[in-house]
Amino acid sequence: MTVRVYTSESLGAYGFPEGHPFGPDRLAAFWNEMLARGLDQRVEIGQPRLCTRDDLLRFHTSTYVQFVEERSISGKGYLDAGDTPAFPGVYEAAATVVGSVLDGLAWLVAGKGRRVFVPIAGLHHARRNGAAGFCVFNDVGCAIEAARAVYGLKRIAYVDIDAHHGDGVFYSYEDDPDLVIADVHEDGRFLYPGSGRETETGRGAAQGTKLNIPLPMDANDEHFHRHWPAVEALVRQAKPSLIILQAGADSILGDPLTHMAFSPAVHRHTAARLSALADEYCEGHLLAMGGGGYDRTNLARAWCGVVEGLLNTSDTSG
């Protein structure tokens, strides 16, 4: 099969307790919809794994990794200013997210398939030296670093359609001309983290390699499709060796933490179009991650739409 989807109890363990919006029930909501649509029969199931400390240190500082280890043992306090609580085993849960993404990357590069989807992943707010916005380790950053250091994939395109700006990725690579970024998000004047202005297009040699598309409250599919050609144009210009998608479902109408109004068709379209670009430029290699999404029905429909797009299906349900 050409598409691999990761699922297991250990991957679903990345979720915060006591009614936190990013709870540990998110993976099950997605997987139940996968079963209902019969999509589990059309994909290969990937088995999550822990990453190594060295995998984390390609992106994160050793001081921060040690801090997470310590809080994981105590299970007390926060890993940031108050959004991302520690819990017993948080290090292992977060390291499983990173390990699953890196396993998917290895599977792609080995030529075993063309697309990967890791639903509990896309933790795009984490900084090199700290947690932020429900994100402990930045699996996107770890994947970018591994793609370059381990597999020699220098030119990478990162597309992010989560309602929240992917600041942890953007500012880590703002001056990197070989990482092309297109980020479609709710305007930061209305939503955390408050960044991602249109004028932020990269710094120094990277000027023009970054595209921020902040959208108004209640932005719908029409708004998305109006801007999508610019995303494709940037990816085409880059001619990447790998495409990474962060497909946060909190941009779907009805999410409790955001104010956007996409339908799940946006996620299906994004995955299908990026799959076509991946076929054209990088041997089909598209690494997709779930990201945010706090209404369980929304995330199930949106992420199943992603899988359908990766499979190049013409189905328009959802």
Side-chain angles (χ1 to χ4, degrees):
M1 295 185 180
T2 62
V3 177
R4 173 180 272 198
V5 177
Y6 283 77
T7 184
S8 80
E9 185 176 341
S10 62
L11 184 62
Y14 186 90
F16 304 94
E18 299 176 3
H20 192 282
F22 200 125
D25 60 327
R26 297 168 79 248
L27 180 60
F30 159 68
W31 195 249
N32 287 338
E33 184 69 12
M34 282 281 290
L35 296 174
R37 298 190 188 197
L39 290 172
D40 59 308
Q41 301 299 314
R42 301 178 59 192
V43 302
E44 177 176 310
I45 306 303
Q47 295 301 316
R49 68 168 178 84
L50 278 168
C51 72
T52 68
R53 186 182 179 88
D54 287 342
D55 290 330
L56 297 173
L57 293 178
R58 290 195 186 98
F59 182 84
H60 290 289
T61 66
S62 58
T63 300
Y64 174 59
V65 172
Q66 182 177 344
F67 170 72
V68 177
E69 287 178 313
E70 293 169 354
R71 286 295 171 96
S72 184
I73 294 171
S74 71
K76 298 178 180 179
Y78 284 86
L79 301 172
D80 57 6
D83 289 326
T84 313
F87 59 86
V90 65
Y91 176 92
E92 289 76 14
T96 297
V97 172
V98 175
S100 301
V101 168
L102 296 182
D103 191 74
L105 175 63
W107 184 80
L108 289 175
V109 175
K112 296 180 179 179
R114 302 176 77 81
R115 331 268 192 245
V116 163
F117 182 55
V118 187
I120 306 302
L123 306 179
H124 60 173
H125 294 307
R127 280 76 164 146
R128 292 186 184 272
N129 63 349
F134 314 160
C135 303
V136 177
F137 294 138
N138 195 317
D139 51 307
V140 179
C142 292
I144 291 167
E145 298 297 335
R148 291 171 166 176
V150 179
Y151 306 112
L153 304 178
K154 183 179 181 182
R155 192 76 165 162
I156 298 170
Y158 172 65
V159 177
D160 189 325
I161 61 170
D162 193 290
H164 300 87
H165 182 239
D167 57 331
V169 178
F170 186 89
Y171 296 113
S172 293
Y173 297 97
E174 190 177 13
D175 60 355
D176 185 334
D178 291 315
L179 183 71
V180 170
I181 297 177
D183 196 310
V184 183
H185 52 273
E186 184 176 337
D187 194 313
R189 290 176 297 173
F190 315 125
L191 191 70
Y192 175 92
S195 56
R197 298 185 304 276
E198 289 179 347
T199 54
E200 296 179 276
T201 59
R203 300 175 62 182
Q207 181 70 38
T209 65
K210 313 295 187 272
L211 175 64
N212 279 303
I213 303 176
L215 297 178
M217 289 182 178
D218 301 319
N220 57 23
D221 292 21
E222 181 180 350
H223 289 88
F224 172 83
H225 288 294
R226 189 183 308 157
H227 292 281
W228 179 253
V231 176
E232 285 202 22
L234 188 68
V235 174
R236 288 184 179 279
Q237 182 181 345
K239 296 179 172 61
S241 300
L242 172 69
I243 298 175
I244 298 175
L245 166 64
Q246 203 273 22
D250 48 10
S251 50
I252 303 296
L253 176 66
D255 189 274
L257 299 188
T258 70
H259 319 97
M260 297 181 73
F262 289 173
S263 79
V266 161
H267 288 65
R268 185 182 300 107
H269 178 84
T270 299
R273 291 304 304 151
L274 291 181
S275 293
L277 291 173
D279 286 342
E280 186 173 352
Y281 293 107
C282 45
E283 300 179 32
H285 295 164
L286 173 55
L287 177 60
M289 308 170 190
Y294 308 102
D295 179 284
R296 281 24 178 189
T297 299
N298 280 353
L299 72 82
R301 292 174 176 172
W303 291 350
C304 283
V306 169
V307 174
E308 289 168 351
L310 299 179
L311 287 164
N312 295 318
T313 180
S314 60
D315 176 45
T316 57
S317 65

